[in-house]
Each structure stands twice: as C-alpha cells, then as structure tokens.
Amino acid sequence: MKTRIDMDFVLVFTLVVFSTCSGFYLPGLAPVSFCEDDKGGDDCQTLIQLFVNRLDSVESVLPYEYDVFDFCKDDNERRPSENLGQVLFGERIETSPYKFSFKKDVKCQELCTKAYVKGKPEDKNMLDFLKRGMQLNYQHHWIVDNMPVTWCYDVEDSQKYCNPGFPIGCLVTADGRAKDACVINSEFNKKNTFYVFNHVAIKITYHNGEGEGWRGARLVAATLEPKSIKNADGEKPTCEGLPMEVPVEFDSDLKITYTYSVTFEENNDIKWASRWDYILVSMPHTNIQWFSIMNSLVIVLFLSGMVAMIMLRTLHKDIARYNQVDQGDLIKVPSPQGKSISYEDAQEESGWKQVHGDVFRPPRKGMLLSVFLGQGTQIFIMTFITLFLACLGFLSPANRGALMTCSVVLWVLLGTPAGYVSSRLYKTFGGEKWKTNVLLTALLCPGIVFADFFLMNLILWVEGSSAAIPFGTLVAILALWFGISVPLTFVGAYFGFKKPAIEQPVRTNQIPRQIPEQSFFTKPVPGIVMGGILPFGCIFIQLFFILNSIWSHQMYYMFGFLFLVFIILLITCSEATILLCYFHLCAEDYHWWWRAFLTSGFTAVYLFVYAVHYFFSKLQIVGAASTILYFGYTSIMVLIFFLFTGTIGFFACFWFVNKIYSVVKVD
C-alpha cells in the first residue's frame, strides 16, 4: 500500500482524533537526509548505521537475537527503544558493526574473524548453534534508515521477489540434496556440508535532493546479495574464491572471516514516499486478493437474496396474514398459491408466531452468554478501529509494532463497552448476581488468554528465544489489565445495571411451550455446523495471507483488502445467522439465544481446522516446542475469533427477532 499521505496531516489527525494511539506513532517515519563527509551538518547525516533484528525461520517458531549467534558484534552496541508491539512480537533491534559513509564505495572490507578451536567445548557449542541455524534456514533481518535490507532474486515466470530477510547459510545433505539457499550456486555440492554466507554485497540506492528544496539525498532502497567465500588464512581477504565450507563433523580447527562490500547508486525516479513499493510489488498477491473479494461478494449476494426473499415475501405475507386473522376481519385468508386458508391453516403454515410466548424466555447459562457477548463487543470495536487506522496508513509496515500496540491499547481502553453490554443483557435475562457478572466479564476470557500466553512464554524462556517477553513487560501488561481495563469494565457495568432491562415486544408465558420433534436439519448441532461454512468461505483466502505473515514471516500490507473482507464477514455472519434463526423459529424451536451465538461462532472451529491443515501442508516446522507454540498461539486466535463472530451473529439475530415480533399483533 502506498503511503503517500501528507505527514503533517497524519500527525495532526493522529494527535487530535486518535489520541489513544498517538503514543506509538514513532519517530523515524520522517525523511532523513544523508550527505558526504565534507557536507554534513545537523540536518544532514554522513554516517549510515545498519541495524540488525532478530533471526527467525519458517521451520521453527522460535526467533533468536542476533547476539545469540556467533556473528560480528558492535563494540558500542545500542538498542533503540521498542514499543509494546515490538516486544510482544519478539523484535530485538540493535546496532551492528556495519557502518558506511555516504557515497563512499567499499570493496571487500573485513569485519571480523571467528576462530573455532577443536577440543574447546564453548567453541563447539557456538559452532553447533550456528549449524543448527543453517539447518533450520534461519534468516537475518537487517534495517537501514527504517527500511529492510532485501535480497532480490528471480522466481518462476522471470519475476523478481524481494525477500526482507536472507539466510545465515545452507546445507547439502548426506545424500547430496541441496537444501534451501544452496540451490543458488552449483559450487555448493559437497555432501554433508554446511555453507555459511560470510560475505554480503550491499547496494544502497538514493534519491538526490538537488533542485527539490532539501539538502543531501534520501535513501530509497537497500539490497544485498549473500555469498559464501573462503578467505586464505593470514592474508587480506579478496572476496573471491571457493565457498566457505563448514563440515557437519567438527574434526579440525576452523576460521570464518566475515566481509562486506558497499556500492551507492543514484535513482531519482524513486520517491522517498514510495520506497517500499519495490518490495510490495514483488509479492504476487493482488490477483488472488481480487479473486477472494469476488468469491466473498458472490456469497454475500446469495445470502442477501435469501434474506430479502424471507423478509419481503414470506415474512411480509406471514405478518399480514396473522394480523388479518387476529383482527377477525377475514375468516378466509388468501394463501401464496391463490387458495383460501382458514385461521388454523395459517397458524400451521408458518409456525414462528406460535412461539411468541416463549421466544424471549431467558436462556440457560445466561451469565456465561452475557459475559461472552460483552467480551465480543470489546473485540469487535477494537478490530474495527485498528483496521480503520491501518487503512489510513497509520499502522503501515514502516511503523514497526504499531499494529499490535494499537490493538492492545484499544482493548484496554474498551473495557467500558464490554461491562455495559454484559450487564445490560444479564439484567435482561433476569440475572441478579451482578458482582459475579462484572468479575467474569473483566477476568474470564482475558484470563484464559493470559494463562495460555504465559505458558507459551515459559517455553520461550526455556528455549532462550528472543520472543520471550521480559518479566517487566508481563508486569506492565498485568498493570494495564487490572489498573485500567478492569476498572473501566466496572464503570460500564455500573451504567448497564442502572439502565432498565431491554423491553421485549411480547410477553413471556409462565409455562414453557413443548417443542415438537425436529427434523435433522433443524436440530441444534447440524444448524450450528452449517452456519459457520459460509462466513469461513468469505475469509479463507485472506486467512492464508494472514497466517503467512505470522508464521512464514512475510510482510502483510493489504489492509484495504482486509477491511473489505472484514465488512463482508460482518454481513455474512449476520445473514447466515438470521436465515437459520428464522428456519428454527418456523419449526417452533424457540431456543435461539445460544444458537444465534454459536451459529456464527462456529466459524472459529473452521478457522482452527484450517490452521491445522496449514501447519501440516504449508509449514515445515520441526520440534516439540515449536509445535506447542504454534497451537498455543492458534488457540488464542481461535478464542478471540469465536467471541468476535459469535457476537456479530447474536446481535443480528436479536435485532431480527425483536423486529418480527414487534410488528405482529398478539392478544
């Protein structure tokens, strides 16, 4: 997505309207100018600092800090301040020894040499960890001027793909099979051997500011090509020759020399505001996204047609016929087939009015349902605002960690709607244990999520991963929860309980009506299972890209598509639930409260099934820890999605039932 928004307008708009999110609209998004050594100044930097981020892999859920591996380190290491979203995602950005003077080309500069002596346990451990990283295809993530340093290479159909990461090295297996990046070079052919990428050829592209009203130049692209080169011992590196081999068995001393080259290139066709475009354009997703949208729209049109037919044709005639019979104006009422029918026939033809005395009977487990609906409302508002901000460009990939930070802050601040909705519905259900209701609304679902998250964090701690949340951050999250979210939930509940219960359009009978025997399709379980299919059909293609961005570390930027799918999901969940609710009422089954929630909420079960399929078919994750982490985090996603979709279906059905029973005349 192009971020061509005027930066002054963005900042003012953020501060005034979305003040809750302004705290993490980080500096660094404004352009930085670079000049040659003799032309520098306060408004023009001369030194380009390369930052390194965590290393991750598609074969493992465990990311690691740069310093955990035995690479060259910066003597004066600094860590930029990280926001909450970056910490939660396990980003660990720090300075590197790679520092360049602007417009000074460097050829084969030695950075450091790492020696591994046979017989030294610490050296063996460090080398084994490096080999493990190469075997699992761990990737570097480097940053220059808040922009990823990319590795661009050709894929099928002569298309170029720019990867914001590049591998540590690669492995040729014992049977001679070249794994991962080893396929790029025919010299990587020795069996049972690792090849470490110890040289990088970096190219930095800049846009010259002469004649455009600003000094110096602005960086618009940074690419590199990783190479494996063995340098002769005791000699100055030439960055040419055979690849750097690391045998699987550590049977002799080994030295790895890390080197780099830098070239600068001017390109005034690329503007600073669109400098991410070359990365995003290389991702061939747009056509598939439009297919996804068209597929979803077809489902929406089908459902809308069904709902329109029920509302305008069947339901309208039902209401007219009931009202005419109740008034006693007509003894014989014309049927849709042109025949006259009696009052008894009219009652039998459509049975939804017959349950008017039971349709608003409070549900079983009303406390739990009201708690779920309060939490679902909180999640719905949070998701809507976050996606809307992302569409405006506030939460672009350049603003690292902003998406997660915004979501967490909004969730904390939206405790009031959760408490209000939960308490108001609980009061409508006739509940009196308001203290229990408020505590469960504030603690039940967040507690489940936090417990799962804490267990996953323990595994990350044990494994020494950078994704392990520091203890101080966990305390800060608990402080946000108990210090802000819980009190706001109590405030919302106070106002909810002060309000009168929601008035129902018809009275409830004292004695429950007996429900006739249901057909297979009007029984609860088949209806609930069918209800989640269509909403899931609208999102499964978009879900693939979201899972790719999380587990395959691909960049996600198409928030416009995502917001459109979000709106389509709202419509689909609402219409599917209304349809099934109407069919069940016609079958004289008035237990619709939980069924309305579970019908659209069952979409989350399909999401879990798809996540299992994605794990086994798309990912190459190995190891028990990574598998547990994958399914642990997936469970959190499924729970949140269950509450979100269930709430949409419930309120759509609640509006529908209130509407149809408010327009019929009941004695």
Side-chain angles (χ1 to χ4, degrees), residues 357-373:
D358 299 273
V359 72
F360 290 106
R361 190 176 301 282
R364 300 185 187 125
K365 308 289 184 185
M367 170 81 80
L368 186 60
L369 180 59
S370 62
V371 168
F372 281 173
L373 292 168

Side-chain angles (χ1 to χ4, degrees), residues 458-473:
L458 286 177
I459 296 173
L460 292 167
W461 270 335
V462 170
E463 296 290 333
S465 170
S466 71
I469 309 300
F471 181 74
T473 305

Side-chain angles (χ1 to χ4, degrees), residues 379-396:
I379 293 166
F380 167 71
I381 301 172
M382 175 202 76
T383 308
F384 179 82
I385 296 175
T386 302
L387 288 179
F388 184 71
L389 289 173
C391 283
L392 294 179
F394 290 95
L395 310 178
S396 69

Side-chain angles (χ1 to χ4, degrees), residues 84 88 408 450 453 469 472-482:
L84 181 60
L88 291 176
V408 172
F450 186 81
F453 184 76
I469 309 300
T473 305
L474 282 176
V475 173
I477 292 171
L478 288 172
L480 288 172
W481 180 13
F482 287 100

Side-chain angles (χ1 to χ4, degrees), residues 327-347:
Q327 288 171 355
D329 295 337
L330 295 174
I331 298 175
K332 299 292 185 179
V333 184
S335 72
Q337 290 77 24
K339 300 177 182 177
S340 294
I341 57 174
S342 64
Y343 175 80
E344 289 77 10
D345 293 333
Q347 290 282 33

